[in-house]
Amino acid sequence: MKKFLIASAACLALSAAASAEDVKVGIEMGFTGPIESLTPPMAQAAELAMKEVSDSGLFLGGAKVVPVRGDETCIDAGAATAAAERLVTSDKVAGIIGPTCSGATSAVLTNVAIPNGMVLISPSATSPGLSTIDSKGLFFRTAPSDAREGEILAQIMTERGVKSAAISYTNNDYGKGIAASIQSAFEKLGGKITLSAPHEDGKSDYSAEVGALASAGGDAIVVAGYADQGGAGVVQTVLDTGAFSKFVFPNGMWGESLIKKFGSQIDGAFGDLPGSDSPGAAKLLEMTKAAGINGTATFVPETYDAAAIMLLAMQAANSAKPADYKGKIMDVVNAPGEKIFPGDLAKALEILKAGGDVDYVGASNVEFIGKGESAGSYREVEIEGGAMKTVKFH
């Protein structure tokens, strides 16, 4: 009889273990292409949140979270769509963190996410145009829209005495959106945009583009591009020709490669990127340092938060099915509930398991408004002595 009871207990244990199936979550980012230097720490931040949840043993009856990476390339909508289709149909992911770039996000949302009922939480797709897509409640972003960044950057430019500027923007959804937002906000503050013109990524010569911008003139040049592509080419040409003495960079330019390539040559350059000085931001910096991740890199807080939010929503719904948990995303992010910061995910899972409420603040001080839009905070940064330093927060 005793042997029978032991055997029965063992069978029950095996049955419980089998019921807690692994939950796969896609991480679709531009691992190659114009932002390839930005994405490694972002992906690592998402995986850090996933590990924290897995290690707790509290997620959906003891399930583990398995990250699956996909390369969107940032600028190739076809490649982004194909990568997302593989994640959904072959890898059977329960949700996707990403894509990173706005054009890729639009393509994946329209061609894959909506038809398949798949949830996307992007940490960095910032085009205002994404707000106009009817996502059926499937799309969220932890980075604020470029409509908000344009206002912040225009304010910073005005405060720093820039009265006129030329804009060179990458010729895609992101570049067009941020350039238009900066121009509108800057002109409302009394500034003048002398010329706003596109540049194509992948060219070897940007002398014609810089020549036109130089002819238009301005106190500064705003380079709204990518640090690993055309944006860097425009910067190099400006340095070679002396066309402008002051650089302004929005979020897409603040990659490690910018500092490595130009260093003190661009001392005095300034701009902004999403970020806050909240307790959660400080906590994530400690966690990323311990894990060997560059926690100061662009969009790292937003990516950790995107992964954490998705997993907490699954716990709140007691289901990893997008149709079940998509309606819980706003609930776990906004009040009411106990405030949750990085490192608190086990506590959050316990609260949700017991039927309680959480208010996920995270590392980026995230709050969702409207259709899953982040209200957003920004870090004003500048280059000094060949290194990026934070000046203040907005």
Side-chain angles (χ1 to χ4, degrees), residues 8 14 34 58 65 84 91-92 107-108 118 122 168 171 242 257 292 333 354 358-359 364 368 378 390 392:
S8 297
L14 286 171
L58 298 167
V65 185
D91 297 307
K92 307 294 184 184
V108 169
M118 181 57 57
S122 174
S168 179
N171 193 20
S257 62
V333 171
V358 299
D359 176 7
S364 63
F368 279 158
Y378 283 88
T390 299
K392 60 182 177 180

Side-chain angles (χ1 to χ4, degrees), residues 27-30 42 72 80 84 96-109 120-125 139:
I27 300 175
E28 183 170 0
M29 297 184 174
M42 291 173 66
E72 73 180 53
I96 295 175
I97 304 304
T100 40
C101 294
S102 296
T105 300
S106 179
V108 169
L109 181 57
L120 304 181
I121 304 183
S122 174
S124 55
F139 176 64

Side-chain angles (χ1 to χ4, degrees), residues 8-284:
S8 297
C11 288
L12 286 171
L14 286 171
S15 176
S19 67
E21 295 182 4
D22 290 345
V23 175
K24 294 181 179 179
V25 175
I27 300 175
E28 183 170 0
M29 297 184 174
F31 294 109
T32 61
I35 62 163
E36 60 186 21
S37 69
L38 272 69
T39 50
M42 291 173 66
Q44 290 170 332
E47 290 163 353
L48 184 65
M50 293 177 193
K51 183 178 186 299
E52 185 180 341
V53 166
S54 289
D55 290 350
S56 74
L58 298 167
F59 180 61
L60 296 181
K64 300 297 183 184
V65 185
V66 179
V68 184
R69 293 189 179 191
D71 185 11
E72 73 180 53
T73 76
C74 182
I75 54 174
D76 186 337
T81 298
E85 286 175 342
R86 284 193 297 272
L87 288 172
V88 173
T89 60
S90 298
D91 297 307
K92 307 294 184 184
V93 299
I96 295 175
I97 304 304
T100 40
C101 294
S102 296
T105 300
S106 179
V108 169
L109 181 57
T110 304
N111 299 322
V112 182
I114 294 173
N116 290 279
M118 181 57 57
V119 170
L120 304 181
I121 304 183
S122 174
S124 55
T126 53
S127 170
L130 290 167
S131 303
T132 66
I133 298 175
D134 180 8
S135 73
K136 313 299 181 186
L138 294 165
F139 176 64
F140 303 82
R141 49 180 167 180
T142 48
S145 163
D146 286 331
R148 170 69 172 153
E149 184 181 8
E151 295 172 354
I152 297 297
L153 193 55
Q155 177 187 330
I156 293 170
M157 291 166 65
T158 302
E159 290 174 351
R160 286 174 173 258
V162 176
K163 293 182 170 58
S164 62
I167 302 176
S168 179
Y169 62 89
T170 183
N171 193 20
N172 62 18
D173 288 357
Y174 162 67
K176 294 172 186 175
I178 187 64
S181 177
I182 293 168
Q183 180 166 353
S184 175
F186 189 55
E187 289 177 345
K188 284 180 182 177
L189 293 175
K192 179 183 179 183
I193 297 300
T194 59
L195 177 65
S196 181
H199 64 254
E200 301 294 338
D201 287 318
K203 291 181 63 176
S204 59
D205 183 6
Y206 290 92
S207 57
E209 290 87 346
V210 171
L213 294 162
S215 295
D219 299 333
I221 180 170
V222 180
V223 184
Y226 298 126
D228 296 319
Q229 268 289 352
V234 170
V235 171
Q236 186 64 67
T237 304
V238 170
L239 290 172
D240 292 342
T241 60
F244 294 90
S245 59
K246 189 174 293 185
F247 291 100
V248 181
F249 299 134
N251 64 69
M253 288 295 292
W254 292 105
E256 287 185 36
S257 62
L258 179 80
I259 312 301
K260 289 179 180 178
K261 184 175 179 66
F262 298 111
S264 58
Q265 295 181 79
I266 54 172
D267 273 1
F270 66 89
D272 66 353
L273 63 155
S276 77
D277 57 349
S278 68
K283 176 62 177 176
L284 184 62

